[in-house]
Amino acid sequence: MLSEEFVSAICGPPLSSNTAIAKDVGIYCHTLSPTYSVKSQFKKSSVPVNCLAVSETHVFAAQHEKAYVHVYSKLRGNQEAFVAFPERIRCLTLAGDVLILGTTEGRIMLWETCTGRLVSTPPRHVQAVSCVVATPHRVLTGSDDSDIHVWSLSQLLELDSAVEHEPERSLPNHRAGITALSANSSASYDTNICVSASKDKTCIIWNYQTGDALRTLLFPSFPLCISLDPSSRAICVGCEDGSLYLVELFAEKPLLGPQSEDASTVVQVLSAFGATQPDVGPASCLSLSYDGTMLLTGHPKGQILKWDVADNKTPVQLANLNAAITNLVFVSPFPTERPTKPFNIIKPSQAERTYTFTAQLEADLSPETRFDSLLNSAGFSQEDLENAITAFQQPAAGSTSEQEQLQKQNEELWEIINEQKALQKTTLQRLAEAKSGQT
């Protein structure tokens, strides 16, 4: 059975003197299914909202109101590095092996964890970068100045140091600070959508590649956190008043797609999917499972709640961590096939100009031979069987030339035999003539 795991982070001191929960633990790795359990813990972290990123081998956690990032090794189960940056970190995310950080000064920094290369942009945001998300080819940053910038990931990682780092476009429709961003990983020009949440009580659905605002969703209270469904069919929104909303994009009256022409550009969202109790508080973070059937919410009072999206039943409390939950990140259950794995991270440096790529090889880089493919396959493949049958039905390659050579040798031997026979006949005739002459 496929297991589901997620990572949670807390920020701030313990809420009560509960001795059953360790006071110095800041990050928890949970197993959600088949049965819930806490898999591992990492100590000495206070992680604000949007400041946790998880890869297959490491956990990256920016610290509250500091210019530090703690790096933990999932393979060894301990803290691997303490990394200092020039500015305080407000948010971060991962794009492969590149850690992207947003700072309080309005700039973004990109750290190649396998080489130690650090790229920094000018402060293109007027205020702090509050959230950042990465897609296969783009980086999106939201700021307290209410603007969203779309960057090209390849241009940000350009090796030419003289390149001026500018965003491809800006999305300026909001009128207050951006609180959350969520984007899909589509590579199609028409389906590159993202959702932004703002303190102006709206969420806007964008085509971030064209810069078009597709729909504006109005809420009774300003949204704190959002999450796109894995198949980009719905949006989950947690608001300040404790309400949770599930907005379907392709319902009877679709908001997107060719059948959405009659839909209004501004949509008022009133019916809530669920609501939390006042003693729990509003959801400060939320995350959808990879099949889109389960929603996890983290709350300021320390609770992690599990919601069933399909049945819409009363939520189940998974854990109470005795501190404000600020981040929930699902770990992908699908293994990625990559030739390398970063076993150890390389600390960032702007002083160096030459870098060494450091990683662990995960696969044989030599091409696979036919013998290897036959050795690793179960039985004989259909192609090999058909080739063998065809080879039996046809004469072997080069058999015609061999027959001609044998025939030629036979002819030469027969010529020699005939010559010997003629010579023998001549000798016998001369012998008979000699005998008759003597008599």
Side-chain angles (χ1 to χ4, degrees):
M1 182 178 181
L2 194 66
S3 62
E4 287 185 292
E5 299 179 359
F6 70 94
V7 180
S8 65
I10 62 175
C11 185
L15 299 176
S16 63
S17 57
N18 187 350
T19 57
I21 302 176
K23 296 182 180 180
D24 57 346
V25 176
I27 299 173
Y28 297 82
C29 298
H30 311 257
T31 298
L32 183 60
S33 64
T35 57
Y36 173 77
S37 63
V38 177
K39 184 178 179 181
S40 59
Q41 303 172 352
F42 298 112
K43 298 181 178 181
K44 298 179 180 179
S45 266
S46 182
V47 189
V49 176
N50 298 326
C51 286
L52 182 71
V54 182
S55 69
E56 292 184 0
T57 56
H58 291 87
V59 176
F60 302 87
Q63 302 305 298
H64 182 60
E65 295 294 333
K66 295 180 180 179
Y68 305 138
V69 172
H70 291 182
V71 183
Y72 300 91
S73 172
K74 294 172 63 178
L75 304 176
R76 293 182 292 270
N78 60 355
Q79 183 173 348
E80 179 178 328
F82 174 85
V83 183
F85 288 91
E87 299 174 7
R88 286 186 297 171
I89 308 302
R90 179 73 182 277
C91 56
L92 57 79
T93 190
L94 271 172
D97 294 330
V98 179
L99 187 69
I100 306 170
L101 309 102
T103 72
T104 56
E105 303 299 323
R107 75 178 78 241
I108 60 174
M109 293 184 288
L110 293 90
W111 168 29
E112 293 181 349
T113 58
C114 289
T115 64
R117 178 172 173 245
L118 183 64
V119 179
S120 180
T121 68
R124 300 304 181 191
H125 285 287
V126 178
Q127 298 183 36
V129 180
S130 57
C131 47
V132 56
V133 294
T135 68
H137 305 290
R138 300 289 186 276
V139 176
L140 289 83
T141 57
S143 170
D144 290 339
D145 62 8
S146 76
D147 285 341
I148 301 168
H149 291 336
V150 181
W151 308 75
S152 170
L153 183 58
S154 59
Q155 291 182 2
L156 289 173
L157 297 175
E158 176 65 45
L159 294 176
D160 187 3
S161 59
V163 174
E164 186 72 17
H165 296 297
E166 292 280 353
E168 288 186 337
R169 63 187 55 85
S170 295
L171 313 177
N173 289 29
H174 284 293
R175 294 171 296 174
I178 308 299
T179 58
L181 279 174
S182 183
N184 65 3
S185 57
S186 173
S188 173
Y189 185 83
D190 297 325
T191 58
N192 284 318
I193 64 171
C194 73
V195 184
S196 59
S198 172
K199 293 181 180 180
D200 60 7
K201 300 183 180 181
T202 66
C203 284
I204 299 180
I205 306 172
W206 308 84
N207 184 324
Y208 61 83
Q209 190 154 342
T210 62
D212 298 329
L214 305 178
R215 291 290 182 272
T216 299
L217 308 177
L218 298 179
F219 294 91
S221 177
F222 78 79
L224 296 173
C225 49
I226 57 175
S227 179
L228 259 175
D229 179 82
S231 57
S232 302
R233 298 185 61 87
I235 306 170
C236 286
V237 182
C239 290
E240 188 188 26
D241 60 358
S243 300
L244 291 174
Y245 295 89
L246 181 65
V247 182
E248 296 187 15
L249 304 181
F250 303 96
E252 295 181 359
K253 295 181 179 179
L255 300 179
L256 301 179
Q259 300 179 355
S260 64
E261 297 179 356
D262 297 335
S264 174
T265 304
V266 179
V267 179
Q268 184 77 42
V269 181
L270 298 175
S271 58
F273 165 76
T276 56
Q277 299 298 324
D279 58 340
V280 175
S284 54
C285 56
L286 55 82
S287 183
L288 276 165
S289 62
Y290 274 80
D291 59 1
T293 61
M294 197 178 305
L295 175 68
L296 298 183
T297 56
H299 300 270
K301 301 298 182 180
Q303 294 90 346
I304 299 178
L305 302 182
K306 181 181 73 172
W307 305 74
D308 194 322
V309 176
D311 295 338
N312 194 14
K313 296 180 180 179
T314 304
V316 177
Q317 178 174 311
L318 291 179
N320 189 334
L321 303 183
N322 196 31
I325 309 295
T326 53
N327 293 269
L328 291 172
V329 179
F330 265 98
V331 179
S332 174
F334 311 110
T336 56
E337 296 183 358
R338 300 173 55 190
T340 61
K341 178 186 290 187
F343 189 76
N344 291 312
I345 59 101
I346 307 300
K347 289 189 175 183
S349 173
Q350 286 182 314
E352 297 184 15
R353 290 296 178 264
T354 59
Y355 302 92
T356 302
F357 182 85
T358 305
Q360 178 179 340
L361 292 176
E362 287 292 295
D364 188 2
L365 300 182
S366 60
E368 186 180 33
T369 63
R370 183 172 180 269
F371 177 78
D372 293 334
S373 62
L374 290 174
L375 186 64
N376 296 325
S377 62
F380 294 99
S381 65
Q382 185 68 23
E383 182 182 359
D384 292 327
L385 291 175
E386 292 177 355
N387 293 336
I389 294 172
T390 304
F392 278 117
Q393 292 176 348
Q394 296 178 355
S399 61
T400 303
S401 60
E402 292 178 358
Q403 290 179 358
E404 292 178 353
Q405 186 176 1
L406 290 174
Q407 185 177 359
K408 184 178 180 180
Q409 291 177 356
N410 289 336
E411 292 176 353
E412 292 177 352
L413 289 174
W414 278 112
E415 289 180 0
I416 296 173
I417 293 172
N418 291 331
E419 290 178 357
Q420 293 296 327
K421 285 182 178 181
L423 179 61
Q424 184 182 14
K425 184 178 179 180
T426 305
T427 303
L428 290 174
Q429 287 178 353
R430 291 180 178 178
L431 181 60
E433 292 176 354
K435 286 181 179 182
S436 61
Q438 290 178 358
T439 57

